[in-house]
């Protein structure tokens, strides 16, 4: 069976997006994100700068919010939605 090789920088970028989603969006410092995900501050800065330049963080959070709204509408007002997240990527 073939193993799937992943690219570490992509995994780390997704970890940042997931962290921001778990925090409910809003502003976070590079240091706070780096510490939470156990990343080097310069690595976190480079990834955050790229994600920001590409507009990826805003699009990810907007899409995630739309999906939750659709689930709430489909399942009704008494529904509680639990989101299981991928654990943070470790350096």
């Amino acid at each position: 069976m073939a193993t799937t090789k992943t690219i570490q920088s992509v995994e780390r970028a997704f970890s940042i997006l997931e962290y921001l989603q778990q925090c409910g969006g809003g502003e976070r410092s590079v240091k706070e994100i780096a510490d939470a995900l156990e990343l080097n501050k310069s690595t976190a800065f480079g990834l955050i700068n790229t994600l920001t330049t590409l507009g990826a963080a805003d699009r990810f959070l907007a899409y995630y919010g739309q999906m939750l709204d659709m689930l709430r509408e489909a399942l009704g007002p008494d529904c509680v939605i639990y989101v299981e997240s991928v654990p943070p990527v470790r350096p």
Side-chain angles (χ1 to χ4, degrees):
M1 180 182 297
T3 60
T4 302
K5 181 174 169 48
T6 61
I7 298 172
Q8 187 179 46
S9 58
V10 175
E11 290 176 344
R12 288 177 173 177
F14 268 92
S15 290
I16 290 171
L17 293 172
E18 289 170 349
Y19 174 76
L20 293 173
Q21 171 268 312
Q22 289 171 355
C23 294
E27 292 185 15
R28 300 283 183 260
S29 71
V30 172
K31 182 180 180 340
E32 181 181 356
I33 294 169
D35 289 348
L37 299 176
E38 297 180 10
L39 295 172
N40 181 289
K41 202 162 69 167
S42 65
T43 299
F45 176 81
L47 291 168
I48 293 164
N49 187 48
T50 301
L51 291 168
T52 302
T53 299
L54 297 174
D58 291 336
R59 289 194 308 254
F60 180 85
L61 293 173
Y63 176 76
Y64 177 80
Q66 290 172 350
M67 295 304 293
L68 284 179
D69 289 345
M70 288 182 354
L71 278 172
R72 286 185 188 104
E73 185 178 316
L75 299 174
D78 295 328
C79 176
V80 176
I81 300 171
Y82 294 95
V83 178
E84 185 176 324
S85 177
V86 176
V89 175
R90 303 289 183 226

